[in-house]
Every structure is written in C-alpha cells, then in structure tokens.
Amino acid sequence: MARFLAGRLLRAFITLFLVVTFAFVVLRLSGDPAQIIMGADAPHEAVAAFRQAWGLDKSLWEQYLGYVGSIFTGDLGRSMRDGRPAAALVAERIPATLALTIPALFLKLGLGIPAGIYAALHRNSAIDRVVMLVAVAGFTIPSFVLGLLLVLVFAVQLGWLPSGGQESWRHAILPVITLGIGGAAVLARFTRSAMLEVLGQPYIRTASAKGVPWRRVVSGHAAPNAAIPTVTIIGFMFGSLIAGAVVVESVFSWPGVGRLMVVAVANRDLAVVQCVLLLVSFTMVAANFTVDLLYGLIDPRLRTGAQGGH
C-alpha cells in the first residue's frame, strides 16, 4: 500500500510540474506583457523600466527558476495590473465560482445517474431512446451556445430570469443549468453503459435464477458494481469544477475565477494566469489522486499491480 501511495504521489507531482512548466513557457512566448499593459504609445524608456521592475528583462531560464523557487516559498507573484498578490485575487473569486459549480455538480449527479440507470433497465425501449437522444444533444451542444439559448428564451423572450450578474440567487439559475446539463448528459451515457455491462454478468443471472427480487438484484448487485467505473467520471467532474466555469462565467458575467482567467489572459497578467492554472491543475490532480485511492480501496488487485511494477 505504501508503494501504491508513493507511486500515485509521484505521478501527481510530475503532472503539476509539467503543467507549471508548460504554462510558464507558453505565456512568455504568447506576447510581451509590458507592451500590452503599458500601451503601444508608451515611451521605450517606460516599457524598459516596466520590464526591469517585473523581471521581464531576464532570460527565460532565469525567470523560470525564480518562478519555481517562489512557488515553494508560497509566493505566487503579483498582478501586473494593480500590484496585488495573485493568490489573493484568485481567492476572492473562488466563492463565486463554487456558488455555481457545486450546485451544478449536484445537478449532474441528480439527473445523470438516475437517467442512466433507468435507461439501462429499459434498454431499447422508447424511454431509453429518448434519454439517450437528450443525452447526446446535451453532450454535443457547446456550453456557450446552450447558455446563450437559455438567455434568449428565459431572459429575453419570457423575462423570467436575469441574463447575467450576481445580485441574487436568481442570477445563478441559468449558469447552473448550463454547467449541469452537459455533465448530466455525459454521466447518463456513462452510467447506462456501466449498468448494461454489469447486467450482462453471470452473477446477475444467477441471482435472478435463485429467485432474488429484481429490485434487490439491481440495488444490491448491479448498481454498486456499476458505480465502480462511474467513480472515474465523477472524479473528473469534481476536478474540473473551476476549469469548467471559464466559458459559462464569461457568458453570464459571473465574477468568478473563470472570468478572472479570461481577463487576465487578455491583459497578459502573467502571475494571475499562472495562479489560476496552478489552482485548476491542483484540483484536477487532487481529484484524480482521490479516485486512484478509491480504486485501490475498492479493488485490492490494483495495489498488487502497483507493487508488481505495472
């Protein structure tokens, strides 16, 4: 078990390291933040002074070593726009993002899992085809298109809900639905496939042949075993709570981490962008690590395989 945990921790650390390195290099090569922030008409001397003040006059290698070293000391840099710590700017936006993503996650689970189970139990029926048709539509429609359609119908045409902002709980309804529909569709399809695979196993047929009530077969045997692979997709959804809100927060003018990310990228505010990417990658790595641990607890063969060097 110790080697199993050590292997997963090492993989998580390497993933974070690669994400930090990739983000640092790409951001430095995507444009000159000094020129963008100071403006095209800024004097050359002012731009040079800005680069020197923020360490942009150093080589890429020196900047990278300084950035990595600052991460280990807890310093994630400062915003080039207002000089505030990047971590503080991001932390201020996290509650707003969670106010959307947590209800959206419950919406995904509450719709996707029951719909997938029901469709699997009524395979090839009209209900099954309708559920899968809706699931495919929800999965294929981009979130920004769905968000704009919801705004057009419920905000513009019907006037029932506000189109954007964060003034009250009513402002969160449309973005939560937008975030939840796509994930519920994915979860419904995945749960249906997992349930169909389990229902075809010999022990299900054996339990039915012994006279075990079908409802008990489903709740006591099929559903728990189908939940094992479903843990993977749920873990991914949990890990992508912040990353998944980028587009939706922009569509609905929601002041969360996702919208901060878009503004920071447009302004080449490097420290803020790097801080958001570090937060997103950490949440996804932590979610995947948790899923690995759950798999190790559910199926001891995985721990044996890890110890065997696979």
Side-chain angles (χ1 to χ4, degrees):
M1 187 64 180
R3 292 184 62 183
F4 176 81
L5 292 175
R8 295 306 186 269
L9 284 173
L10 178 61
R11 189 173 68 178
F13 177 79
I14 292 175
T15 302
L16 285 174
F17 175 77
L18 292 176
V19 169
V20 167
T21 302
F22 179 79
F24 180 89
V25 173
V26 170
L27 288 174
R28 263 53 179 193
L29 298 179
S30 61
D32 185 5
Q35 196 67 57
I36 295 174
I37 293 176
M38 297 296 292
D41 299 329
H44 176 74
E45 295 78 9
V47 175
F50 183 91
R51 288 196 181 99
Q52 184 177 12
W54 291 97
L56 299 175
D57 57 335
K58 299 179 182 179
S59 67
L60 188 64
W61 181 250
E62 290 178 304
Q63 294 181 50
Y64 175 73
L65 291 179
Y67 173 62
V68 173
S70 66
I71 290 178
F72 285 104
T73 62
D75 181 12
L76 300 181
R78 292 180 174 272
S79 169
M80 293 181 179
R81 283 287 173 177
D82 56 17
R84 293 183 59 196
L89 288 173
V90 175
E92 289 177 355
R93 302 294 189 98
I94 291 178
T97 296
L98 293 181
L100 291 184
T101 55
I102 296 298
L105 179 62
F106 283 107
L107 180 62
K108 296 174 187 179
L109 299 177
L111 288 179
I113 293 178
I117 293 176
Y118 192 84
L121 296 177
H122 299 80
R123 184 179 183 181
N124 296 327
S125 66
I127 295 295
D128 180 28
R129 288 191 288 270
V130 169
V131 170
M132 287 300 99
L133 178 63
V134 174
V136 170
F139 174 72
T140 55
I141 296 177
S143 58
F144 72 91
V145 174
L146 177 60
L148 292 175
L149 288 176
L150 292 177
V151 168
L152 179 63
V153 174
F154 294 100
V156 178
Q157 298 293 333
L158 300 177
W160 291 352
L161 296 169
S163 60
Q166 195 196 10
E167 284 73 22
S168 68
W169 62 270
R170 297 176 68 250
H171 291 76
I173 294 177
L174 292 183
V176 166
I177 293 175
T178 305
L179 280 171
I181 291 299
V186 173
L187 199 53
R189 296 181 64 190
F190 200 92
T191 303
R192 177 182 181 273
S193 298
M195 277 292 294
L196 289 177
E197 183 177 354
V198 172
L199 290 174
Q201 296 299 316
Y203 61 85
I204 297 295
R205 294 193 295 269
T206 301
S208 299
K210 289 181 177 180
V212 179
W214 180 242
R215 180 171 296 182
R216 185 178 173 185
V217 171
V218 172
S219 61
H221 298 281
N225 285 282
I228 295 176
T230 309
V231 168
T232 302
I233 193 69
I234 295 176
F236 176 79
M237 288 179 176
F238 186 82
S240 61
L241 287 179
I242 296 177
V246 173
V247 174
V248 174
E249 288 184 356
S250 299
V251 171
F252 292 96
S253 300
W254 189 269
V257 176
R259 192 178 179 198
L260 174 66
M261 173 74 166
V262 173
V263 174
V265 169
N267 294 330
R268 294 297 190 276
D269 200 343
L270 302 184
V272 176
V273 176
Q274 291 168 169
C275 187
V276 174
L277 290 177
L278 188 61
L279 173 64
V280 170
S281 59
F282 177 79
T283 55
M284 298 195 73
V285 167
N288 290 332
F289 179 73
T290 303
V291 169
D292 285 340
L293 292 182
L294 290 176
Y295 272 150
L297 294 174
I298 294 172
D299 191 348
R301 293 174 297 177
L302 295 177
R303 298 197 299 268
T304 304
Q307 292 171 355
H310 294 291

